[in-house]
Amino acid sequence: MASGRDVRARSELEAEALRREAAPTPVADAFDALLSSADAQGRVRSTWNVTRAWYSVNGDHERAHTVGTFVEQPRRAGALPVLVVYVDTKSCEVDFMANREIYLARLEQAGLRFREVRFRQSKRPRAERDGEPRRKAPAAEPPLPELSAEEERRAEELLAGVSEALRQSVSRAVRVSMRAEKRRNS
């Protein structure tokens, strides 16, 4: 078919194949058509463009702590939408909220206007977002071993010179320390 001479199609299928070979569709056009068909109102494309713009107008700190974005469509006609940015920690939520006017200005410079920017902490654990397996909680250490009668006598000897006001707290500290030492040595 691609020999350079004029080839005539014998069926509709051959005609379609010849048309495709003569003018291939760029991948970007195919991707754009896919996104348009996925959501007729353009919300998929809109959120994707907003996320891309958010990452491009902000710095490394914002990019590192942003989990995702969501465009909340306005309830009344003619109003501007609200941008919701999901972040990974409560401290980032508070920090970013303090700079929300700066973010609005940066996004407007990129051609995106919003009524406001809201920040919310993501409910997904960071390990799940980063694709890492969830770590198990560290196993609880077994209880400290009890002191023998001889070790109890030694603890009492160490506490002999301690005043009554401090005796209870110092006694507890000495005994816990001795029990921890006993576990390390066993």
Side-chain angles (χ1 to χ4, degrees):
M1 286 191 168
S3 63
R5 58 187 163 95
D6 190 21
V7 178
R8 298 218 180 248
R10 289 181 262 174
S11 69
E12 287 184 35
L13 291 173
E14 280 185 10
E16 180 63 27
L18 288 172
R19 267 195 302 276
R20 276 188 268 140
E21 288 177 4
T25 304
V27 173
D29 291 347
F31 188 66
D32 188 43
L34 175 68
L35 287 176
S36 296
S37 68
D39 186 7
Q41 285 87 23
R43 288 187 193 128
V44 172
R45 182 181 171 92
S46 174
T47 300
W48 183 77
N49 282 339
V50 168
T51 302
R52 188 174 58 170
W54 173 260
Y55 283 123
S56 69
V57 300
N58 290 305
D60 293 337
H61 179 68
E62 287 86 359
R63 285 190 294 267
H65 294 284
T66 298
V67 175
T69 63
F70 174 73
V71 178
E72 190 177 288
Q73 297 300 323
R75 295 179 194 259
R76 52 176 200 179
L80 292 173
V82 173
L83 174 62
V84 180
V85 179
Y86 291 95
V87 295
D88 58 357
T89 63
K90 185 69 175 172
S91 62
C92 283
E93 181 182 347
V94 172
D95 183 35
F96 288 10
M97 198 65 168
N99 296 324
R100 66 182 172 262
E101 296 300 322
I102 295 169
Y103 300 133
L104 279 173
R106 287 178 183 171
L107 289 166
E108 191 165 348
Q109 288 294 319
L112 299 172
R113 293 188 63 212
F114 294 98
R115 182 169 42 110
E116 67 177 297
V117 179
R118 294 182 190 146
F119 298 95
R120 294 186 184 146
Q121 184 178 359
S122 176
K123 294 180 181 174
R124 287 183 11 197
R126 184 175 192 106
E128 286 181 19
R129 289 190 306 270
D130 296 340
E132 299 172 9
R134 260 187 111 161
R135 294 185 186 133
K136 294 180 182 174
E141 291 189 25
L144 294 173
E146 295 299 322
L147 296 177
S148 66
E150 183 181 320
E151 291 166 330
E152 283 289 341
R153 275 194 305 275
R154 194 165 35 131
E156 286 299 321
E157 289 173 6
L158 291 171
L159 296 168
V162 177
S163 70
E164 282 300 316
L166 296 174
R167 188 168 182 88
Q168 187 177 7
S169 61
V170 173
S171 171
R172 189 173 30 242
V174 165
R175 284 182 169 75
V176 168
S177 176
M178 290 175 74
R179 291 171 66 191
E181 179 83 22
K182 186 174 181 177
R183 180 171 44 193
R184 276 193 302 270
N185 292 337
S186 61

